[in-house]
Amino acid sequence: DEFISSPPRKTVRFGGTLTDILLKYEKGETTDFELLKHQLSDPDIKDAQIINWLHEFRASVAYLTKELEQLVSILLKLPWLRRSREVVEEYLGFLGNLVSAQTVHLRPCLRMIVSQFVPPRITIREDDVDISDSDDDDENVSENFNTCHRALQTVARYVPSTPQFLMPILVENFPFINKSERTLECYVHNLLRVTVYLPTLRLQILELIIEKLLKLDVSTPQQDIEDAEETANNSDSEEKSTEEGLFDMEEDEERKGNKVVSSRSERMAHPLAERLDILMTILFSYIKDVCHVNGKLDIGNTKDLYRDLVSVFDKLILPTHASCHVQYFMFYICSFKLGLAEAFLDHLWKKLHDPNNPSVIRQTAGSYIGSFLARAKFIPVVTVKACLDLLVNWLHKYLDNQDTGANAYCDVALHGPFYSTCQAVFYTLIFRHKQLLDGNLRKGLSYLQSLNFERIVMCQLNPLKICIPSVVNLFAAITRKYQLVFCYTIIERNNRQFIPVVRSGTGGDLVQTCTNPLDSFFPFDPYMLKRSKKTIDPFYQFWEELSAEDLENLKKPIKRGTSEDEDDDFLKGETPQNDGVVGIAPNSYESNTRSPVSSIGSPPDCYVPYP
């Protein structure tokens, strides 16, 4: 019955073989040619017909010149991916024959393949109205992507110049950041897969992806992410209190479906932050997979990828002010091996002390050094000491050169890199002083005294006036506790000299105090994206909140003659612990007066009055 009711198989040919049709077309007889185009464009075309046509086209690629690009574009629109295996194999063979015989069709072929790098969209219509435009939940989407990459590899094998023609197409096809998470996720994943078999494109593809991630990152300030999370948490708690006791029947189902519940709790409330989180997770996975072979770190692969990532960092990340999350790809790859972390610090150090670099780049390099030394758990004390020696010696040399100069006064425009380096040193000391003094207190104190902070703090350039107040006050408390330098006289004098800026506007006069004249930020402030955070947290040094008792401890200076084995319990809560929880930390976004952007893990100033 099924056979009888099925429509008869469509005829494959009109007017003879394909070669005959194409020769007739050249002579001006277009009837059969139009019928051929019509049949190839038929949405109900059967697998057998596609295979027959492709078989003939493979034998006739010599005729498919530029004049027949309209026919080739119809062939490239054939629905070959979601067909039988035989159709897919025949189509891959046709693509190989076409690009090798007629390279004029290379770009259209590449565009067709790249257009399949995102899942198809399905539109649900109801009464002539589009009610949905969602990703097609096709089970075969992963297999289709595999086939696309096979097709791209086939083309690249026949045309060695494929990479230079492919890159502009990958750029122009990159989905807009407001497209669905699934679309962005699939496209980025497929781009990274291309780097595996076309390694010459890796640097350009990483640049493209990280540039797009940066746009997402700077479009989602930390304050917006926090506000969105807070709003979502409030609405969730309201829903829970309203629905409590109403849906007991569903409790067992919820327990069974823990996966669904947890995945919902992992979603970011801010839509752009959600996209960024998914894409950062993919990038971290890619870095891990490239650097590890059979679960072991491959030094060669890791070094090559590190060089590419540093190149992207210099070009895109370093000149971008106050990005929050994307720069963590450097943090992550450096966690694989201490040598990489030291190479990264050395790279930043060269940027910082090279006077040929723009001042703003040198200042940002200083911020990165301070934040990296403070926050990276995998950097040992010996490396921290080596970096502090470099930075502090440079500061002293800088002061040597200024002592006799006409510019020896407090001015951010003149001495930006100096102030940025001071802040990096202060910030590192706040986070690492416990480790620097651990084991042998006398030896540790001797080392810190050898850094001669007194000269830096007391100099005419007055770094305590320029650095962020939260950093200055914690540094002052720690250095007074260990009698390294007494900062409070200078802090009070600076406070007296602080001239508020009065700005008149329609809403009346506004008094502003500039608490961040360097406009500096800490690039490795706490990471807020829920999924990708799990990759970073094991290597991340959190900050613990100061209790009232800790604040009291800060007021008690240690005695000069402390024995080496005396237990120093200074700053139990404030000192970073290896397994610390997120708390309050000195941050670029908080100070005496709140600046427009604030952040998790950022203390108000802990001003500790001297006795």
Side-chain angles (χ1 to χ4, degrees):
D1 289 347
E2 190 180 329
F3 173 74
I4 292 168
S5 61
S6 65
R9 184 174 168 183
K10 294 190 179 181
T11 17
V12 175
R13 287 186 182 73
F14 295 100
T17 64
L18 176 63
T19 310
D20 293 339
I21 295 170
L22 297 178
L23 288 171
K24 281 183 186 177
Y25 177 71
E26 282 179 13
K27 293 173 185 173
E29 294 178 34
T30 59
T31 313
D32 289 347
F33 186 75
E34 292 302 323
L35 286 168
L36 167 66
K37 280 164 51 181
H38 179 75
Q39 190 177 13
L40 287 170
S41 305
D42 183 357
D44 298 325
I45 191 168
K46 298 286 186 289
D47 283 8
Q49 293 170 297
I50 293 179
I51 290 168
N52 283 343
W53 279 123
L54 288 175
H55 193 68
E56 289 203 40
F57 272 111
R58 285 181 72 175
S60 310
V61 286
Y63 295 97
L64 298 178
T65 55
K66 186 163 174 63
E67 287 69 37
L68 292 176
E69 62 185 343
Q70 192 184 7
L71 176 62
V72 172
S73 75
I74 291 170
L75 285 166
L76 294 178
K77 284 174 188 164
L78 278 174
W80 63 285
L81 261 181
R82 287 156 194 81
R83 297 283 176 155
S84 66
R85 185 175 178 79
E86 291 76 15
V87 172
V88 168
E89 295 303 325
E90 193 67 38
Y91 198 87
L92 290 175
F94 162 70
L95 277 180
N97 286 18
L98 178 66
V99 294
S100 57
Q102 306 283 354
T103 49
V104 69
H105 299 304
L106 176 63
R107 276 198 185 92
C109 287
L110 294 176
R111 280 198 188 93
M112 179 275 295
I113 297 169
V114 172
S115 70
Q116 306 290 345
F117 276 4
V118 293
R121 308 286 285 176
I122 49 170
T123 305
I124 301 167
R125 295 177 72 83
E126 200 172 272
D127 301 327
D128 292 329
V129 177
D130 291 353
I131 59 166
S132 164
D133 179 19
S134 58
D135 292 321
D136 183 5
D137 290 329
D138 186 355
E139 289 176 5
N140 299 321
V141 76
S142 180
E143 194 180 321
N144 291 341
F145 289 153
N146 291 340
T147 310
C148 284
H149 289 290
R150 274 188 66 201
L152 200 49
Q153 284 170 274
T154 302
V155 171
R157 193 164 58 246
Y158 286 109
V159 187
S161 60
T162 295
Q164 70 191 69
F165 291 98
L166 176 63
M167 198 59 220
I169 293 165
L170 295 178
V171 173
E172 69 190 39
N173 274 273
F174 203 104
F176 186 59
I177 57 172
N178 280 339
K179 287 284 184 186
S180 75
E181 294 114 1
R182 180 77 176 140
T183 300
L184 284 162
E185 178 185 4
C186 289
Y187 194 78
V188 168
H189 186 267
N190 283 315
L191 282 188
L192 292 171
R193 277 187 71 176
V194 171
T195 67
V196 176
Y197 54 85
L198 294 178
T200 55
L201 286 182
R202 183 166 74 181
L203 178 58
Q204 293 173 69
I205 286 175
L206 286 171
E207 265 184 31
L208 171 62
I209 291 170
I210 287 165
E211 183 189 1
K212 299 295 180 182
L213 290 179
L214 263 181
K215 284 181 181 173
L216 274 171
D217 202 3
V218 297
S219 304
T220 51
Q222 282 195 330
Q223 187 61 54
D224 290 6
I225 295 174
E226 286 170 39
D227 292 347
E229 290 297 322
E230 194 176 332
T231 307
N233 289 339
N234 290 342
S235 63
D236 280 354
S237 57
E238 281 171 24
E239 277 176 32
K240 275 180 191 168
S241 59
T242 312
E243 294 173 4
E244 205 168 315
L246 291 178
F247 300 107
D248 293 337
M249 288 168 66
E250 291 180 10
E251 275 184 13
D252 292 336
E253 290 298 317
E254 278 197 21
R255 282 197 193 98
K256 285 177 197 167
N258 272 337
K259 190 179 174 188
V260 180
V261 175
S262 67
S263 67
R264 185 185 165 193
S265 69
E266 279 184 352
R267 282 187 70 84
M268 299 296 297
H270 194 296
L272 292 183
E274 171 67 8
R275 288 167 176 75
L276 182 61
D277 194 10
I278 291 167
L279 299 185
M280 286 301 291
T281 306
I282 293 171
L283 183 59
F284 288 153
S285 298
Y286 171 78
I287 291 170
K288 185 179 180 183
D289 289 348
V290 169
C291 295
H292 293 80
V293 177
N294 299 326
K296 289 184 178 178
L297 188 70
D298 183 291
I299 301 298
N301 289 356
T302 307
K303 281 183 180 176
D304 290 344
L305 182 61
Y306 169 82
R307 286 188 198 102
D308 283 349
L309 290 176
V310 164
S311 174
V312 178
F313 175 83
D314 285 349
K315 186 174 179 180
L316 298 175
I317 304 290
L318 208 52
T320 304
H321 182 69
S323 59
C324 300
H325 300 100
V326 181
Q327 59 266 24
Y328 270 89
F329 68 79
M330 285 308 306
F331 190 96
Y332 183 51
I333 194 169
C334 287
S335 71
F336 294 164
K337 194 167 177 61
L338 178 59
L340 296 175
E342 290 176 343
F344 184 50
L345 285 165
D346 183 57
H347 179 74
L348 291 168
W349 161 244
K350 285 172 182 168
K351 294 271 179 200
L352 172 63
H353 78 86
D354 182 359
N356 295 318
N357 284 327
S359 180
V360 66
I361 295 294
R362 296 174 69 190
Q363 286 173 225
T364 308
S367 299
Y368 269 93
I369 290 172
S371 198
F372 192 59
L373 287 173
R375 296 292 194 174
K377 260 188 194 178
F378 47 83
I379 295 180
V381 180
V382 64
T383 307
V384 174
K385 276 186 172 183
C387 290
L388 282 177
D389 287 339
L390 266 180
L391 296 172
V392 172
N393 284 338
W394 183 81
L395 290 174
H396 285 303
K397 280 180 187 169
Y398 191 94
L399 292 176
D400 291 340
N401 294 333
Q402 294 301 319
D403 280 349
T404 53
N407 294 329
Y409 55 90
C410 184
D411 189 332
V412 176
L414 286 174
H415 309 295
F418 172 83
Y419 294 122
S420 181
T421 307
C422 285
Q423 187 159 278
V425 170
F426 299 166
Y427 191 69
T428 304
L429 188 76
I430 289 167
F431 270 83
R432 296 285 195 156
H433 71 274
K434 190 78 173 178
Q435 289 167 292
L436 289 167
L437 296 167
D438 204 21
N440 189 327
L441 184 60
R442 183 173 293 168
K443 197 173 175 184
L445 280 174
S446 174
Y447 168 72
L448 290 179
Q449 283 160 4
S450 73
L451 296 175
N452 193 2
F453 285 126
E454 188 167 6
R455 183 188 180 208
I456 296 167
V457 165
M458 303 287 184
C459 73
Q460 292 293 310
L461 304 188
N462 195 356
L464 297 186
K465 186 176 185 178
I466 301 300
C467 296
I468 294 166
S470 54
V471 173
V472 168
N473 284 316
L474 280 167
F475 174 76
I478 290 163
T479 51
R480 192 203 58 202
K481 167 81 178 177
Y482 292 102
Q483 298 187 21
L484 298 170
V485 58
F486 194 77
C487 301
Y488 289 105
T489 315
I490 298 167
I491 292 173
E492 288 195 350
R493 187 181 68 210
N494 289 339
N495 289 342
R496 284 197 296 274
Q497 289 172 357
F498 242 140
I499 302 171
V501 181
V502 181
R503 298 190 178 177
S504 298
T506 48
D509 291 344
L510 177 69
V511 179
Q512 288 185 335
T513 344
C514 180
T515 56
N516 188 0
L518 263 180
D519 198 22
S520 58
F521 69 108
F522 299 117
F524 299 117
D525 268 350
Y527 193 92
M528 300 178 68
L529 306 175
K530 293 176 185 173
R531 287 185 197 83
S532 44
K533 189 178 195 292
K534 293 172 186 170
T535 307
I536 296 300
D537 280 1
F539 313 109
Y540 190 76
Q541 186 68 73
F542 290 106
W543 179 265
E544 289 197 342
E545 193 169 352
L546 283 164
S547 65
E549 185 185 344
D550 298 326
L551 286 167
E552 278 302 313
N553 279 340
L554 277 173
K555 297 177 188 176
K556 301 172 187 169
I558 61 160
K559 293 172 185 172
R560 279 285 181 189
T562 312
S563 64
E564 288 182 22
D565 57 345
E566 185 177 326
D567 182 32
D568 173 37
D569 62 350
F570 168 56
L571 293 182
K572 283 176 193 151
E574 174 268 333
T575 302
Q577 303 295 327
N578 283 341
D579 55 349
V581 290
V582 181
I584 288 182
N587 183 287
S588 41
Y589 305 119
E590 287 262 11
S591 44
N592 285 329
T593 56
R594 255 184 135 86
S595 70
V597 191
S598 71
S599 160
I600 281 182
S602 316
D605 266 336
C606 1
Y607 178 73
V608 186
Y610 59 87

